[in-house]
Amino acid sequence: MVKRLLSCVREYKKHTLLTLLIMVLEVVIECLIPFITADLINKIKDGTDMTVVVQTGLLLIGMALLSLCCGGTAGFISARAAAGFAKNLRGDVFHKVQTYSFRNIDKFSSSSLVTRMTTDVTNVQMAFLMTIRTASRAPLMLVFSIVMAYIMGGSLAACFVVVVPVLVAGLLLVARFAMPAFRRVFKKYDRLNESIEENVRGMRVVKGFSRENYEKEKFNAASDDICADFTKAERIVAFNSPLMQMCVYFNLVFVLLVGSKMIIESGGTQVDVGQITAMLTYGMQILIQLMMLSMIYVMLTISSESIKRIAEVLIETPALQNPENPITTVADGSIDFDNVSFKYAADAEKYALAQVDLHIRSGMTVGILGGTGSSKSTLVQLIPRLYDVTDGVVRVGGVDVRNYDMDTLRNAVAMVLQKNLLFSGTIKENLRWGNENATDAELEEACRLAQADDFIRAFPNGYDTHIEQGGTNVSGGQKQRLCIARALLKKPKILILDDSTSAVDTKTDALIRAGFTAYIPETTKIIIAQRVASVQEADLILVMDNGRIAAMGNHETLLAQSPIYREVYAQQTNGGEDDE
């Protein structure tokens, strides 16, 4: 898991290694400064001349400046390495998600994926930064300081035998009790982001039902829950400070009392003033490094949860894979379902589709009717291989869809959904999702066929009108027509309209279908609809019921033979369905 994440360092490997080398140099310099200072103090006490004082002082100033340069350079380089690592990691996660099938996406909520690519990546970035800087510096500084303390202080260094284990044990206990609270926070972040996302997307519904106060209370409850966990963890971590101070003061008192006693009793032969000064400095360095290690431990433990969550995304195997030698050409738009059954999960008790046999010639227009939950959308999602069949075979152009290169297959199939999405950008930019090389004339022709040209030209900026995120500044019917135009520009071999004219009136619906006949006569057109009027002129109409094809045929055949079709037709015609 860690190895997979470290592979994201890539081009920033040199920056990372250089930071570690600079840290070693900085540690050596900082550990030598107290040693030279102690030696200078002893020389001054023994009556050295000013030349030695000035030379040593200049040496110390030079070492301090060099240490400062090392620290600044390491900070600059490590920041670039950590930011680059996070960029690569976030990119890898995003690219991995692009390879997912619908089955994989169903496993992760969109809010959770957003949290993993933002909060979790930021946590891992901070952990990486601390690792290459502080986590490399602190242990080195600790070891060097302890060695130098024993060299300078001799028996006085025995105080660390007491202080270090106490501080280490205390910090480990603090981290152990704080970590469970930190771990709980991440799952709650997912729920909080989900609540925010849901509220923003459903803002019209919230305001329509005057549920603002309810949404505020729900958000506040989730936010307070996170705050409570963080507060609990921070209260525990706050014990680091008094524990650290206690150890610092113990070290200070011990060195001063015992050291002074040894100087007085031995007349300075065992321990000298310079050595005591160095011991105080090294003692402070040792305790500070232990404190830094405790902070690193806390940060790494917090980040370990983020690492696991990111790794879950990176190691997830896409449910759909290209075959070893994929076919890269789709011959035509013919579609065959041979005894197809499908369920969304392997352990599901009920099949969403059962024993479907269907054969559609290239260029046919096929209508699909059925009640909610009859698996109309499920049927058409198997055609571009958004899911794989559980049993049976789906063929496009006479070839099993599992044998195609997935990009080739999906470029030959265009789907327009009832709730299709527009992306932030101009109308032209959105339309060119269908064909990035389409000319302005081709864009306008597709929009005329989709009955979108008139309302586009009514905008002050026409085709350069900016579409807000999610298409919130156009109506539902306008959005559907723009999505149909986008699909037409693709000039696919198969066009699937999944209830994608539900927000337009019957007259506009009829004009759109007439445009299909003129613009893409050889394309197989599959129209899922709730209105019989939308499909009654189709070459073949399917009536879906409970995951099965209950009946199929043209309009006249179904009126004569299908009770379900006859009932729907009677309700919509005798009930006087109004145009929208």
Side-chain angles (χ1 to χ4, degrees):
M1 183 171 62
V2 174
K3 183 179 179 182
R4 174 64 185 85
L5 262 62
L6 287 179
S7 68
C8 297
V9 176
R10 291 198 284 275
E11 68 269 30
Y12 298 97
K13 190 178 294 183
K14 291 182 180 178
H15 296 79
T16 303
L17 294 175
L18 186 58
T19 299
L20 296 174
L21 290 174
I22 294 174
M23 286 291 97
V24 173
L25 178 60
E26 184 186 15
V27 167
V28 171
I29 294 171
E30 288 194 15
C31 287
L32 286 175
I33 287 175
F35 181 83
I36 296 173
T37 302
D39 183 60
L40 177 62
I41 291 172
N42 289 334
K43 286 180 179 178
I44 293 172
K45 190 195 70 166
D46 294 336
T48 188
D49 56 42
M50 283 302 297
T51 303
V52 174
V53 174
V54 172
Q55 289 176 346
T56 308
L58 291 174
L59 175 63
L60 289 172
I61 292 172
M63 293 176 70
L65 290 174
L66 182 58
S67 176
L68 180 64
C69 290
C70 288
T73 304
F76 176 80
I77 297 173
S78 62
R80 186 171 181 183
F85 164 73
K87 177 198 72 174
N88 290 342
L89 179 58
R90 191 176 291 111
D92 285 0
V93 173
F94 183 79
H95 295 156
K96 183 69 174 186
V97 172
Q98 302 309 304
T99 69
Y100 282 0
S101 68
F102 280 15
R103 192 185 298 276
N104 296 111
I105 293 173
D106 292 342
K107 184 177 178 179
F108 301 98
S109 69
S110 58
S111 59
S112 178
L113 288 172
V114 169
T115 304
R116 292 169 202 242
M117 280 189 273
T118 52
T119 304
D120 287 328
V121 170
T122 300
N123 286 337
V124 175
Q125 176 184 350
M126 292 304 298
F128 180 77
L129 179 62
M130 291 185 72
T131 299
I132 62 175
R133 283 204 64 191
T134 313
S136 60
R137 185 182 188 280
L140 288 172
M141 196 74 178
L142 183 63
V143 171
F144 273 97
S145 295
I146 290 175
V147 171
M148 293 302 293
Y150 271 96
I151 292 173
M152 294 296 297
S155 58
L156 271 179
C159 66
F160 298 122
V161 177
V162 177
V163 173
V164 172
V166 170
L167 186 58
V168 169
L171 295 177
L172 288 175
L173 283 173
V174 166
R176 179 181 177 185
F177 286 107
M179 287 314 101
F182 281 123
R183 289 191 183 103
R184 287 195 298 270
V185 166
F186 292 101
K187 292 182 180 178
K188 293 177 180 180
Y189 263 132
D190 287 347
R191 291 197 289 270
L192 181 67
N193 286 343
E194 187 175 355
S195 175
I196 296 170
E197 181 184 357
E198 194 175 59
N199 180 269
V200 172
R201 286 188 175 183
M203 186 60 71
R204 288 180 176 83
V205 178
V206 173
K207 292 189 176 296
F209 284 86
S210 297
R211 297 284 283 179
E212 292 93 340
N213 290 333
Y214 170 79
E215 289 295 316
K216 288 178 184 177
E217 290 173 3
K218 188 170 73 170
F219 174 84
N220 289 337
S223 184
D224 290 343
D225 200 13
I226 292 175
C227 180
D229 277 341
F230 261 126
T231 302
K232 181 179 178 181
E234 293 295 342
R235 282 175 179 169
I236 297 171
V237 172
F239 282 104
N240 279 359
S241 181
L243 181 62
M244 174 70 179
Q245 289 178 353
M246 182 187 74
C247 292
V248 168
Y249 292 138
F250 174 83
N251 177 69
L252 179 65
V253 171
F254 182 89
V255 171
L256 287 176
L257 286 178
V258 177
S260 299
K261 184 174 181 295
M262 292 175 68
I263 291 174
I264 293 170
E265 290 179 349
S266 67
T269 57
Q270 292 182 346
V271 179
D272 214 332
V273 176
Q275 290 172 287
I276 290 180
T277 303
M279 280 294 298
L280 291 174
T281 304
Y282 286 128
M284 185 64 71
Q285 286 182 347
I286 289 169
L287 295 172
I288 289 173
Q289 300 318 310
L290 286 172
M291 187 67 173
M292 295 303 296
L293 286 173
S294 75
M295 293 172 59
I296 294 166
Y297 178 74
V298 171
M299 186 65 203
L300 291 179
T301 308
I302 295 172
S303 300
S304 66
E305 191 65 24
S306 292
I307 289 171
K308 290 176 185 175
R309 287 159 54 83
I310 293 170
E312 285 176 355
V313 178
L314 291 175
I315 65 177
E316 175 78 6
T317 303
L320 303 180
Q321 303 273 359
N322 268 337
E324 189 172 341
N325 296 302
I327 296 172
T328 56
T329 304
V330 179
D332 55 44
S334 62
I335 303 167
D336 297 285
F337 283 72
D338 293 333
N339 197 28
V340 169
S341 295
F342 170 78
K343 52 185 176 181
Y344 284 98
D347 56 353
E349 295 182 3
K350 185 180 179 181
Y351 281 91
L353 286 171
Q355 299 176 343
V356 174
D357 278 297
L358 175 64
H359 304 283
I360 301 171
R361 297 187 309 277
S362 183
M364 286 181 67
T365 299
V366 178
I368 304 178
L369 289 174
T372 302
S374 60
S375 296
K376 304 184 297 296
S377 297
T378 303
L379 179 75
V380 297
Q381 285 175 353
L382 298 179
I383 297 170
R385 203 188 170 200
L386 299 180
Y387 292 98
D388 268 344
V389 299
T390 306
D391 298 304
V393 178
V394 175
R395 293 187 177 87
V396 170
V399 177
D400 188 335
V401 293
R402 290 169 291 194
N403 294 331
Y404 279 114
D405 172 75
M406 285 191 287
D407 286 342
T408 299
L409 175 64
R410 290 170 184 172
N411 281 328
V413 180
M415 290 188 71
V416 185
L417 308 176
Q418 180 182 8
K419 295 182 179 179
N420 225 318
L421 284 176
L422 295 175
F423 297 88
S424 54
T426 65
I427 290 177
K428 282 183 179 179
E429 290 169 345
N430 271 276
L431 292 172
R432 286 196 170 106
W433 273 62
N435 178 3
E436 61 183 356
N437 299 315
T439 64
D440 288 351
E442 288 173 327
L443 297 182
E444 292 170 8
E445 182 184 12
C447 288
R448 281 194 295 272
L449 293 167
Q451 305 302 306
D453 184 66
D454 289 343
F455 77 77
I456 292 173
R457 293 186 183 279
F459 292 135
N461 296 320
Y463 282 81
D464 292 314
T465 299
H466 185 79
I467 298 293
E468 301 295 337
Q469 185 179 20
T472 55
N473 59 331
V474 291
S475 70
Q478 290 172 337
K479 189 187 299 185
Q480 285 186 339
R481 281 176 278 173
L482 287 172
C483 291
I484 291 171
R486 182 172 66 187
L488 289 174
L489 283 166
K490 200 173 182 181
K491 295 184 178 178
K493 288 185 167 58
I494 300 171
L495 174 64
I496 300 172
L497 305 180
D498 189 352
D499 207 11
S500 54
T501 56
S502 58
V504 301
D505 58 74
T506 53
K507 180 181 177 181
T508 303
D509 185 12
L511 290 172
I512 291 172
R513 284 184 281 112
F516 292 163
T517 304
Y519 189 67
I520 46 173
E522 297 180 359
T523 295
T524 303
K525 296 164 279 290
I526 300 177
I527 303 170
I528 297 175
Q530 299 296 330
R531 295 183 293 217
V532 172
S534 298
V535 299
Q536 69 181 51
E537 295 178 3
D539 302 311
L540 178 67
I541 302 171
L542 311 179
V543 179
M544 300 288 297
D545 184 38
N546 198 28
R548 296 174 181 270
I549 298 178
M552 68 173 73
N554 59 23
H555 176 66
E556 290 75 17
T557 301
L558 291 176
L559 278 178
Q561 299 178 1
S562 173
I564 298 175
Y565 186 85
R566 193 163 48 245
E567 181 182 354
V568 172
Y569 179 74
Q571 288 175 347
Q572 294 184 2
T573 53
N574 297 338
E577 180 189 24
D578 295 330
D579 289 353
E580 295 180 18

